[in-house]
């Protein structure tokens, strides 16, 4: 940690900086919130604008919920994100196990191969992936949204690092107790790397929640849209009324903020184990 | 004594045996199969495929036909490609330096022992967890003619006389979108620097203070050099992200006005999914991949030399 004693004068400067940055990072959301609470009687396009609503009302929120299938989008987003988390955790944990704990032919080659995929951006390969998904007839389905990202090099790397920190003696003890390799993985090792699994789960969830381009390409039915697609669509539907667009955007933020508050402490752990401390 | 040694030897032998017996030779591959199938199908196979497509004329409805290097020839003759490349490079040289430097100072700031610092940290992370769609909408509304930015510049600071249509004029649109990319990335890279900061032992600062270094000087002379490894990571990550920028552009400007915010990935997207010119777009993808490859190899070399 930094600084032993912080003087009052320094404190004033530090808090000023902190507050300026706070306004910059949260301000855009507050402006959106303020707009969504303005009543239809207020002119949104007058200049200079009113910073706060004169007669605050949640009418726009209600209208959005009534006119667009907001809860369907919400449910779809949750469903996609949760499945994405489960498959990523399971496949990464399975693959990371032998890479961390076993000796076998081709191990180095396989691990390097997996890591090298970090240098192949999705934007480069998305055309063949799209063609493949079309040929497999899984467009317009969540399988098509989820499958191409069901496991990533990041996830395998993160969990491999976690497995590496567990002493071999624990594994050997379990073996002597009669566990086979799958039981060792499932009953002994997985519980020991829970923090890393949580980190992977949270990162996967946030990524999936905000994912835009790929679901846009795959999903055609509006009833299957996830929240980002639904909110983007809202911009076309309510092009003339920014109150409603703002209300939709604000509403769609509530779940992820709740999620973030609940899981906050894992975010910094993720960044630490993701690279720097390697 | 000899007995004990024999015993240890025997135990060692047994240990070696158990290690061998922990799994048979096929077991490791069984665990790897699901991951390898997915990565093979959705990363390596498409990479080979995109190279093949790039030499073909192909839309999804008809059979692909070989056209040799025609797609590449067309790319290098298209002035729209050069304009997209120029925009990507502009994006890169503006966004990357800011995202390497600013989050570092932000991390130093939130690493101070102050009351409520956890709240500030969390608040700075908020833009990161928000989807780009919501961020794009929020900023569109800030950039609007009657938006906050114009209000601030015209009525509060009196820098400008008239409001500007930030996203609708070719001279300001690209820059305005860059600001959103920076704004959304700050918190993410801040956390990476924060992790780096927390790995620095505390006594270094104590020693510096005894030596009379304080405040900003202490950070410039001691903290910043110690953060070099984190800086390399942030540089690589933000560079890759800048070269691939798409979502914010699609959401905020759709490449306009007058192509002024069209980047290489946007150009690729248009040719692939609006014109359904998959062969041509694949060639663009290959060119992008080569640029990124040269780039990431160069930055790995650089960071190895610095480390």
């Amino acid at each position: 940690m930094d600084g032993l004693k912080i003087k009052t004068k320094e404190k004033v400067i530090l808090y000023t900086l902190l507050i300026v940055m706070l306004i910059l990072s949260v301000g855009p959301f507050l402006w959106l919130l303020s707009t969504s609470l303005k009543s239809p009687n207020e002119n949104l396009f007058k200049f200079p604008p009113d910073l706060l609503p004169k007669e605050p009302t949640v009418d726009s929120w209600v209208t959005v919920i009534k006119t667009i299938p907001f809860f369907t989008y919400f449910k779809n987003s949750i469903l996609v994100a949760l499945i994405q988390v489960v498959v990523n955790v399971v496949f990464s944990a399975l693959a990371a196990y032998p890479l961390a704990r076993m000796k076998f032919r081709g191990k180095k080659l396989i691990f390097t191969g997996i890591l090298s995929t970090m240098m192949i951006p999705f934007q480069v390969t998305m055309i063949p992936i799209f063609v493949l998904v079309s040929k497999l007839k899984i467009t317009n389905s969540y399988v098509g949204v989820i499958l191409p990202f069901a496991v990533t090099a990041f996830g395998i790397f993160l969990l491999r690092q976690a497995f590496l920190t567990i002493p071999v003696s624990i594994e050997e003890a379990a073996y002597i107790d009669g566990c086979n390799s799958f039981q060792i993985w499932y009953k002994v090792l997985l519980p020991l790397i829970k923090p890393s699994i949580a980190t992977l789960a949270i990162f996967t969830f946030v990524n999936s929640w905000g994912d835009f381009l790929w679901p846009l390409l795959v999903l055609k039915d509006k009833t299957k849209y996830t929240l980002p697609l639904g909110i983007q669509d809202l911009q076309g539907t309510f092009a003339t009324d920014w109150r409603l667009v703002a209300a939709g955007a604000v509403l769609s933020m509530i779940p992820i903020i709740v999620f973030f508050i609940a899981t906050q402490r894992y975010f910094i752990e993720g960044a630490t184990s993701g690279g720097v401390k390697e | 004594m000899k007995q004990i040694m024999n015993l240890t030897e025997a135990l060692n032998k047994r240990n070696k045996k158990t290690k061998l017996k922990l799994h048979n030779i096929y077991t490791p591959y069984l665990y790897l199969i699901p991951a390898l199938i997915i990565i093979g199908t959705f990363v390596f196979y498409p990479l080979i495929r995109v190279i093949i497509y790039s030499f073909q004329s192909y839309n999804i409805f008809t059979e692909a036909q070989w056209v040799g290097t025609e797609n590449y020839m067309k790319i290098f003759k298209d002035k729209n490609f050069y304009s997209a490349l120029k925009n990507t490079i502009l994006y890169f040289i503006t966004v990357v330096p800011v995202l390497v430097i600013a989050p570092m100072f932000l991390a130093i700031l939130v690493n101070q022992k102050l009351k409520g610092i956890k709240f500030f940290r969390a608040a700075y992370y908020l833009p990161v967890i928000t989807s780009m769609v919501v961020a794009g909408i929020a900023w569109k509304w800030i950039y609007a003619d009657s938006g906050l930015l114009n209000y601030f510049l015209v009525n509060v600071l009196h820098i400008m006389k008239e409001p500007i249509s930030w996203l609708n004029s070719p001279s300001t649109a690209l820059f305005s979108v860059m600001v959103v990319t920076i704004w959304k990335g700050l918190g993410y890279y801040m956390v990476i620097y924060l992790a780096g900061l927390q790995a620095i032992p505390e006594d270094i600062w104590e020693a510096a203070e005894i030596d009379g270094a304080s405040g900003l000087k202490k950070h410039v002379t001691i903290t910043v050099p110690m953060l070099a490894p984190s800086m390399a990571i942030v540089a690589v990550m933000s560079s890759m992200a800048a070269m691939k920028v798409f979502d914010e552009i699609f959401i905020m400007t759709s490449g306009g006005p007058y192509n002024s915010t069209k980047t290489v990935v946007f150009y690729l997207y248009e040719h692939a999914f609006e014109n359904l010119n998959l062969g041509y777009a694949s060639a663009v993808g290959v060119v992008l991949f080569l640029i990124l490859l040269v780039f990431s190899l160069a930055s790995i070399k650089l960071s190895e030399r610095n480390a």
Side-chain angles (χ1 to χ4, degrees):
Chain A
M1 282 292 155
D2 200 352
L4 301 174
K5 280 170 256 149
I6 302 176
K7 291 176 210 129
T8 328
K9 198 181 142 196
E10 268 183 30
K11 254 188 191 169
V12 174
I13 299 171
L14 289 175
Y15 273 110
T16 314
L17 283 172
L18 284 168
I19 289 166
V20 169
M21 287 310 296
L22 181 71
I23 294 170
L24 286 177
S25 47
V26 185
F29 299 122
L30 295 179
W31 177 230
L32 205 59
L33 180 67
S34 161
T35 307
S36 77
L37 295 174
K38 283 181 179 169
S39 78
N41 304 326
E42 285 179 68
N43 178 7
L44 287 186
F45 299 101
K46 85 170 206 226
F47 192 82
D50 297 316
L51 291 187
L52 294 171
K54 282 200 180 111
E55 321 151 18
T57 161
V58 289
D59 283 358
S60 304
W61 297 32
V62 177
T63 314
V64 165
I65 290 173
K66 277 187 183 158
T67 14
I68 66 159
F70 186 85
F71 288 108
T72 310
Y73 298 154
F74 173 74
K75 198 191 72 205
N76 296 344
S77 268
I78 294 270
L79 183 74
V80 170
L82 285 183
I83 299 176
Q84 193 72 273
V85 166
V86 171
V87 292
N88 263 282
V89 166
V90 172
F91 292 155
S92 304
L94 280 173
Y97 176 40
L99 290 174
R101 315 298 296 198
M102 295 178 190
K103 276 185 187 151
F104 58 94
R105 214 180 258 263
K107 178 168 152 179
K108 212 181 163 196
L109 179 76
I110 290 173
F111 188 54
T112 318
I114 290 172
L115 284 189
S116 72
T117 63
M118 284 183 173
M119 304 233 273
I120 306 170
F122 166 72
Q123 286 83 346
V124 168
T125 47
M126 72 179 169
I127 294 168
I129 297 177
F130 183 77
V131 174
L132 185 64
V133 164
S134 308
K135 285 188 177 157
L136 293 172
K137 300 213 170 10
I138 47 173
T139 45
N140 204 17
S141 82
Y142 296 138
V143 179
V145 176
I146 292 165
L147 199 57
F149 305 100
V151 67
T152 62
F154 168 75
I156 296 174
F157 180 75
L158 184 75
L159 297 191
R160 174 185 170 266
Q161 297 304 96
F163 279 135
L164 282 178
T165 60
I166 301 170
V168 186
S169 54
I170 292 184
E171 227 173 308
E172 284 175 349
Y175 176 77
I176 289 161
D177 287 347
C179 290
N180 62 34
S181 81
F182 185 77
Q183 285 166 326
I184 291 173
W185 175 77
Y186 183 70
K187 287 185 182 161
V188 181
L189 297 180
L190 281 191
L192 290 172
I193 61 157
K194 262 187 197 156
S196 296
I197 290 180
T199 303
L200 175 62
I202 288 162
F203 268 75
T204 311
F205 190 91
V206 172
N207 279 340
S208 167
W209 187 266
D211 205 8
F212 182 70
L213 176 56
W214 183 243
L216 182 75
L217 291 175
V218 174
L219 299 175
K220 300 289 169 231
D221 267 347
K222 284 193 181 175
T223 52
K224 288 186 178 161
Y225 273 9
T226 53
L227 267 177
L229 301 187
I231 299 300
Q232 171 73 7
D233 194 46
L234 196 67
Q235 287 197 75
T237 320
F238 296 131
T240 47
D241 198 343
W242 263 89
R243 272 171 282 256
L244 299 176
V245 177
V250 169
L251 279 173
S252 80
M253 280 185 72
I254 295 171
I256 197 76
I257 290 178
V258 172
F259 179 81
F260 175 57
I261 292 170
T263 58
Q264 228 204 87
R265 66 195 176 97
Y266 290 104
F267 280 89
I268 193 157
E269 277 173 41
T272 325
S273 45
V276 187
K277 268 195 174 169
E278 159 47 348
Chain B
M1 196 62 188
K2 208 182 171 192
Q3 265 180 329
I4 295 172
M5 270 169 73
N6 280 341
L7 192 66
T8 6
E9 217 167 85
L11 273 175
N12 279 343
K13 260 188 194 162
R14 210 201 63 180
N15 268 346
K16 263 184 200 160
K17 260 190 189 165
T18 47
K19 249 187 203 166
L20 285 176
K21 273 210 265 164
L22 261 174
H23 58 81
N24 72 43
I25 53 167
Y26 303 109
T27 321
Y29 305 105
L30 284 177
Y31 289 99
L32 281 161
I33 279 175
L36 292 184
I37 289 178
I38 290 164
I39 290 176
T41 316
F42 292 105
V43 183
F44 287 114
Y45 169 75
L47 185 65
I48 296 166
R49 210 66 238 198
V50 79
I51 295 169
I52 297 174
Y53 285 160
S54 77
F55 295 105
Q56 294 177 329
S57 162
Y58 178 51
N59 64 44
I60 220 163
F61 309 109
T62 57
E63 281 292 303
Q65 296 203 332
W66 286 95
V67 293
T69 55
E70 198 186 299
N71 289 327
Y72 291 97
M73 295 304 172
K74 268 196 210 154
I75 291 176
F76 293 117
K77 276 183 201 146
D78 185 7
K79 65 180 195 320
N80 285 333
F81 173 75
Y82 287 105
S83 130
L85 190 63
K86 190 197 83 191
N87 286 337
T88 302
I89 292 170
L90 265 177
Y91 220 95
F92 177 81
I93 57 177
T94 316
V95 167
V96 175
V98 178
L99 280 181
V100 170
I101 295 164
M104 183 166 64
F105 288 101
L106 200 58
I108 292 174
L109 185 65
V110 297
N111 200 33
Q112 309 288 331
K113 276 182 189 153
L114 289 168
K115 246 186 208 146
I117 203 73
K118 277 193 177 163
F119 165 75
F120 287 102
R121 250 185 237 174
Y124 299 163
Y125 205 77
L126 194 61
V128 181
I129 56 155
T130 319
S131 66
M132 190 49 97
V133 174
V134 172
I137 287 173
W139 278 90
K140 257 177 157 176
W141 197 224
I142 284 179
Y143 287 133
D145 289 7
S146 56
L148 270 189
L149 185 63
N150 281 321
Y151 168 74
F152 201 67
L153 294 175
V154 176
N155 299 61
V156 180
L157 293 178
H158 301 286
I159 296 175
M160 302 182 332
K161 283 202 175 112
E162 290 282 306
I164 292 180
S165 292
W166 294 95
L167 292 172
N168 291 326
S169 79
S171 56
T172 52
L174 187 67
F175 182 74
S176 305
V177 181
M178 286 175 187
V179 170
V180 180
T181 308
I182 292 170
W183 173 80
K184 210 171 173 305
L186 273 180
Y188 186 75
Y189 299 116
M190 172 193 83
V191 168
I192 293 179
Y193 278 120
L194 207 51
L197 274 175
Q198 296 186 341
I200 301 177
E202 201 163 330
D203 32 332
I204 287 184
W205 280 302
E206 286 171 33
E209 274 185 19
I210 291 164
D211 288 347
S214 73
L216 194 65
K217 196 183 164 197
K218 180 179 73 183
H219 286 304
V220 173
T221 51
I222 298 162
T223 318
V224 174
M226 299 225 27
L227 282 175
S230 312
M231 220 187 273
I233 289 169
V234 172
V236 173
M237 290 174 76
S238 60
S239 315
M240 294 289 260
M243 303 290 279
K244 298 188 294 194
V245 62
F246 176 84
D247 289 6
E248 43 269 67
I249 290 167
F250 183 90
I251 291 157
M252 295 178 73
T253 63
S254 307
Y258 307 109
N259 294 345
S260 64
T261 55
K262 212 168 269 177
T263 57
V264 174
V265 173
F266 199 91
Y267 179 85
L268 184 156
Y269 171 85
E270 272 189 334
H271 281 281
F273 299 106
E274 284 173 14
N275 309 344
L276 286 180
N277 208 340
L278 296 183
Y280 184 78
S282 294
V284 177
V286 173
V287 172
L288 178 70
F289 178 60
L290 291 177
I291 296 173
L292 282 171
L293 195 66
V294 168
F295 195 80
S296 42
L297 291 178
S299 52
I300 288 170
K301 271 268 151 62
L302 262 176
S303 64
E304 266 173 3
R305 201 194 295 160
N306 285 342

